[in-house]
Amino acid sequence: MMDLDLDAELDRPSNPLDLIERLAALNNWTFDRDSDDELSVAVTGGWADYHVAITWLAEVEAIHIACAFDLKVPDRRRAEVLQLVSLVNEQLWLGHFDLWSSENVVMYRHALLLSGGAEPTDEQAAALIKAAIEACERYFQAFQFVVWAGKTAKEGLEGAMLETVGEA
């Protein structure tokens, strides 16, 4: 195994979460700074309200984002939801979905690595949140179909990916 010295403490001019807190304020999102290293943001989407937890992980120099929506997965649908998570993750370029086992909640997770004291830009912070919300918006209905309509993972994904044209 490669021996790396990861104990070097880097001085940062600012806490990377300060930038994301400003972004939340500019977008009029409800947020709460739980600690210096944790920020909770509520974002209203087209399908659901999203609970976004953003954490600064100093030991790995990364901003971690977890975005969840109110959808408790009953035990009887757990295997099918896990299959859907796998199918959805095959389509994602950034981040991934998980089924958080302690809460039985689906969530999107991703991280922005800032090794070597790099500072995040406004664009990177916005892109991190945008990727999370867009992934949740895109696949929310697939999870709904599987959990509440009893569809298979494949049917749920196909139903959610159906794009309509025009208005009825």
Side-chain angles (χ1 to χ4, degrees):
M1 178 114 187
M2 187 185 326
D3 188 24
L4 297 174
D5 181 12
L6 298 177
D7 292 332
E9 191 67 37
L10 293 171
D11 289 330
R12 289 183 172 274
S14 66
N15 184 321
L17 291 190
D18 294 344
L19 175 67
I20 296 175
E21 186 174 336
R22 285 193 306 275
L23 180 65
L26 286 171
N27 284 281
N28 295 315
W29 295 328
T30 302
F31 65 91
D32 183 34
R33 188 75 175 258
D34 303 324
S35 71
D36 283 345
D37 297 334
E38 295 180 30
L39 177 67
S40 298
V41 181
V43 178
T44 299
W47 297 113
D49 290 334
Y50 300 106
H51 311 285
V52 184
I54 303 140
T55 308
W56 169 241
L57 303 167
E59 64 277 3
V60 292
E61 295 184 272
I63 298 172
H64 176 263
I65 188 167
C67 185
F69 38 83
D70 286 329
L71 181 69
K72 280 278 204 193
V73 178
D75 288 338
R76 62 181 165 60
R77 299 301 299 156
R78 186 174 177 78
E80 203 62 42
V81 168
L82 286 169
Q83 179 63 35
L84 178 58
V85 165
S86 178
L87 292 173
V88 167
N89 285 342
E90 289 176 359
Q91 297 184 20
L92 293 176
W93 285 85
L94 298 172
H96 65 278
F97 279 93
D98 281 327
L99 179 57
W100 202 254
S101 59
S102 65
E103 303 285 328
N104 272 353
V105 173
V106 174
M107 74 172 51
Y108 171 89
R109 296 176 54 200
H110 188 39
L112 175 62
L113 190 60
L114 298 169
S115 294
E119 291 293 320
T121 65
D122 292 345
E123 294 80 7
Q124 287 173 314
L128 186 66
I129 293 174
K130 183 179 179 184
I133 300 301
E134 285 182 352
C136 288
E137 283 283 285
R138 180 170 181 113
Y139 296 105
F140 176 79
Q141 284 193 308
F143 289 105
Q144 284 279 74
F145 290 154
V146 170
V147 171
W148 298 118
K151 302 290 183 187
T152 66
K154 186 177 178 190
E155 290 169 332
L157 186 59
E158 288 171 353
M161 297 292 91
L162 181 66
E163 303 224 7
T164 58
V165 177
E167 294 181 28

